[in-house]
Amino acid sequence: MIENIKITATTKKEKYELLLQQIKSLVEGENDLIANLSNIASALKFGMNFFWIGFYFVKENELVLGPFQGTIACTRIKKGKGVCGTCWEQKKTMIVEDVEKFPGHIACSSLSRSEIVVPVFDKNNNVAMVLDVDSTKLSDFDETDKSFLEKIAEIIKNII
Ligand code: SME
């Protein structure tokens, strides 16, 4: 009975802690970046039940869509544009509680209401890609998401 209560009461933090271990073992022993990012996207999508999760790579002067899980997304985003382009430009995590209130938000899906975008740095501390997560609920992301998604960005930094 107690075990059942624990299962239904699994918190966001507990889910992320399990996922972090899973992601560490997923990338261990595999050095192909696309294979690893694809599995990380899937682990996050199904582990956290996210609406959309994916990576945008910095390629020359724009972001280009990489591995993702969810509905079809825009393929290219300019530096400073939308939440992803702003994250790249400002080199910091962006939490947007209501995408309609974010000037220049790029609506890939009309269902998306809030989002978090985390920069992934390379070993020279340049932004190599951004990790974008979208939700159909308003204000769905907080400091717990920021803290764990930044830990995942650190894991990726070490396998780029
Ligand atoms: N919402 C993002 C664009 C990417 S899609 O949500 C997948 C933005 O404004 O940067």
Side-chain angles (χ1 to χ4, degrees), residues 3-156:
E3 283 82 355
N4 287 344
I5 291 167
K6 180 156 176 44
I7 288 162
T8 50
T10 301
T11 63
K12 184 186 330 200
K13 185 167 175 280
E14 285 170 334
K15 285 187 196 168
Y16 270 121
E17 275 162 356
L18 288 172
L19 263 176
L20 213 54
Q21 293 316 310
Q22 190 188 7
I23 287 171
K24 279 180 190 158
S25 34
L26 270 173
V27 303
E28 232 172 50
E30 174 53 65
N31 64 9
D32 188 275
L33 183 62
I34 298 296
N36 282 331
L37 295 180
S38 301
N39 268 339
I40 292 171
S42 177
L44 281 168
K45 163 82 179 160
F46 293 100
M48 301 305 293
N49 199 23
F50 287 144
F51 170 65
W52 194 95
I53 179 264
F55 297 92
Y56 280 92
F57 295 122
V58 172
K59 289 195 179 174
E60 294 170 8
N61 62 343
E62 56 190 354
L63 293 170
V64 182
L65 183 64
F68 72 97
Q69 290 274 330
T71 49
I72 291 171
C74 14
T75 52
R76 290 172 189 269
I77 298 172
K78 297 268 181 226
K79 193 169 195 176
K81 299 290 174 196
V83 187
C84 293
T86 306
C87 168
W88 174 21
E89 189 173 64
Q90 296 188 7
K91 299 183 172 192
K92 63 169 197 182
T93 296
M94 312 285 306
I95 295 178
V96 177
E97 300 202 340
D98 181 351
V99 295
E100 282 175 19
K101 294 192 178 137
F102 188 92
H105 169 253
I106 301 160
C108 293
S109 165
S110 56
L111 296 175
S112 177
R113 308 294 303 281
S114 63
E115 66 178 89
I116 180 167
V117 184
V118 177
V120 180
F121 297 97
D122 62 20
K123 292 193 175 75
N124 298 318
N125 284 321
N126 295 313
V127 179
M129 66 189 87
V130 300
L131 164 53
D132 178 9
V133 187
D134 296 351
S135 172
T136 56
K137 293 188 211 124
L138 283 173
S139 307
D140 208 15
F141 302 105
D142 56 22
E143 289 300 311
T144 303
D145 298 282
K146 179 175 186 285
S147 155
F148 280 97
L149 293 173
E150 287 178 353
K151 285 188 174 80
I152 293 167
E154 273 300 311
I155 295 174
I156 297 169

